[in-house]
Amino acid sequence: WVDEYTGEEFTRAAAMEVDHIIPPQYANASNGYQWELGKRAQFANDPYNLVPVGRETSRKKRDKSLASYQPRAEFLCEYATGWRDISEKYDLDLFSRDTSRMNKILETCTDETGTETKD
């Protein structure tokens, strides 16, 4: 397995954890506290919001926001895209510092053809 945040490879599943790209605590603080129980469960278990990472990485990131934590450069565009898509899917009001950081990252991202992505 590969920790997408760091690029570190693991051969034992016990050394891995599943991280939320947008942490549930962050979602709750931004407007998820208004969600019904079913929507909270959907968010917590949404495979697009889950990524396998090493235990140490998980502990470093914890409930940090996009402005407070960024993964390795090779995963940064996918990570920022995840923040954008997940926040739109769940109608989350991201904090301005995170929206600003996300937009700056996405401005520099390119798709597989080498064309810049503008969202």
Side-chain angles (χ1 to χ4, degrees), residues 30-98:
S30 61
N31 72 330
Y33 66 90
Q34 301 172 0
W35 295 343
E36 293 186 18
L37 190 57
K39 189 169 182 178
R40 287 177 191 263
Q42 179 185 1
F43 178 84
N45 295 298
D46 188 330
Y48 191 63
N49 192 30
L50 300 175
V51 62
V53 298
R55 274 195 169 143
E56 186 177 324
T57 303
S58 180
R59 286 179 176 82
K60 285 181 184 177
K61 180 186 176 267
R62 292 202 173 256
D63 294 322
K64 292 181 179 168
S65 68
L66 181 59
S68 302
Y69 179 86
Q70 283 94 48
R72 64 189 170 116
E74 297 84 358
F75 189 69
L76 189 56
C77 289
E78 188 174 341
Y79 186 69
T81 299
W83 271 83
R84 180 195 63 204
D85 294 349
I86 295 160
S87 65
E88 288 174 0
K89 179 177 181 178
Y90 291 94
D91 197 29
L92 288 172
D93 297 326
L94 299 181
F95 296 108
S96 60
R97 66 184 180 272
D98 299 309

